[in-house]
Amino acid sequence: AQSVTQLGSHVSVSEGALVLLRCNYSSSVPPYLFWYVQYPNQGLQLLLKYTSAATLVKGINGFEAEFKKSETSFHLTKPSAHMSDAAEYFCAVSEPGGGNKLTFGTGTQLKVEL
Amino acid sequence: DGGITQSPKYLFRKEGQNVTLSCEQNLNHDAMYWYRQDPGQGLRLIYYSQIVNDFQKGDIAEGYSVSREKKESFPLTVTSAQKNPTAFYLCASSILVAGDPPLSGYTFGSGTRLTVV
């Protein structure tokens, strides 16, 4: 069965600092992995996705994530945080043959301080 | 522009009442999903449908019902049997490729916040 674990329900960084949001997955087969962002009272927007091509994936708004099979991780990073990055971020996993379903992590709330 | 429309954005329900949340998409997606979001619990799958007139229970289907009479529409009814219905409800859709995950991910609506008063 597929699952994801997001370490840290709340992360706080200073504006201009590195953003690192952690995601570890569990999957019986090579998975597809996704990061989504959610602003207050809105739906989720796709940031980036890993679908078995390049292990370093670049997304929108300067975010990127690296798929590391040996560590079963797909951490999200951004070199320099901006105030507009404050939001909740969700990691999600889907397995081939898993019925087209995404399983989401519990989310990480990112706070950006001046 | 193509997208998913959820309505209403805010909904108030008295205890014992059934309410129906609307979800419409014009993306020509085959698959549609309903998730419930509670603080600290992420998104939990309620129901999903991959074809008209067919749907499957997700992880927390008790107290909910759905229908899929048209490809574009997937309404969710929160029944009086749902003991704790106050939550943020998200509808999503995706392209369906047999046996494979949705390569493009899901497209989400903007959500409906349901409050029991």
Side-chain angles (χ1 to χ4, degrees):
Chain A
Q2 58 193 37
S3 66
V4 290
T5 301
Q6 291 184 243
L7 292 176
S9 58
H10 292 80
V11 170
S12 183
V13 300
S14 299
E15 191 174 34
L18 171 72
V19 175
L20 171 61
L21 304 182
R22 300 179 185 273
C23 173
N24 288 87
Y25 69 89
S26 173
S27 175
S28 57
V29 297
Y32 291 7
L33 294 157
F34 304 81
W35 274 101
Y36 285 85
V37 60
Q38 184 182 34
Y39 298 99
N41 291 312
Q42 293 186 27
L44 276 65
Q45 179 184 3
L46 182 65
L47 270 179
L48 50 78
K49 61 186 178 184
Y50 166 76
T51 56
S52 73
T55 57
L56 182 62
V57 181
K58 295 186 183 297
I60 62 172
N61 302 337
F63 284 93
E64 63 181 37
E66 186 172 7
F67 173 72
K68 292 187 176 180
K69 183 178 179 181
S70 61
E71 299 177 8
T72 60
S73 69
F74 190 57
H75 302 330
L76 182 70
T77 61
K78 182 175 181 178
S80 177
H82 191 273
M83 296 295 289
S84 61
D85 294 327
E88 189 157 22
Y89 292 80
F90 291 92
C91 183
V93 64
S94 186
E95 290 182 351
N100 208 60
K101 290 186 291 180
L102 288 183
T103 299
F104 289 85
T106 53
T108 297
Q109 187 72 44
L110 176 66
K111 182 179 180 181
V112 182
E113 300 174 319
L114 288 171
Chain B
D1 288 338
I4 296 183
T5 301
Q6 288 188 243
S7 62
K9 190 167 181 65
Y10 298 94
L11 186 58
F12 297 89
R13 188 195 95 171
K14 294 182 179 180
E15 287 192 20
Q17 283 184 337
N18 293 355
V19 291
T20 298
L21 283 59
S22 171
C23 178
E24 303 276 336
Q25 55 100 357
N26 60 4
L27 299 165
N28 200 33
H29 285 172
D30 290 301
M32 298 186 74
Y33 313 83
W34 274 105
Y35 285 89
R36 170 179 172 143
Q37 185 177 14
D38 297 281
Q41 298 193 48
L43 278 70
R44 293 181 291 169
L45 183 64
I46 304 172
Y47 269 98
Y48 66 102
S49 170
Q50 298 183 336
I51 193 171
V52 173
N53 292 324
D54 188 43
F55 45 83
Q56 285 76 43
K57 293 182 178 179
D59 301 318
I60 56 165
E62 185 174 353
Y64 300 97
S65 66
V66 293
S67 63
R68 187 87 185 275
E69 297 178 1
K70 299 186 301 182
K71 185 177 183 178
E72 303 79 18
S73 180
F74 192 42
L76 173 74
T77 297
V78 184
T79 75
S80 57
Q82 171 51 238
K83 298 306 179 186
N84 185 23
T86 295
F88 190 54
Y89 291 86
L90 286 162
C91 180
S93 70
S94 73
I95 295 170
L96 186 64
V97 179
D100 285 335
L103 293 179
S104 57
Y106 289 0
T107 300
F108 281 86
S110 57
T112 292
R113 186 166 296 281
L114 173 63
T115 303
V116 174
V117 296

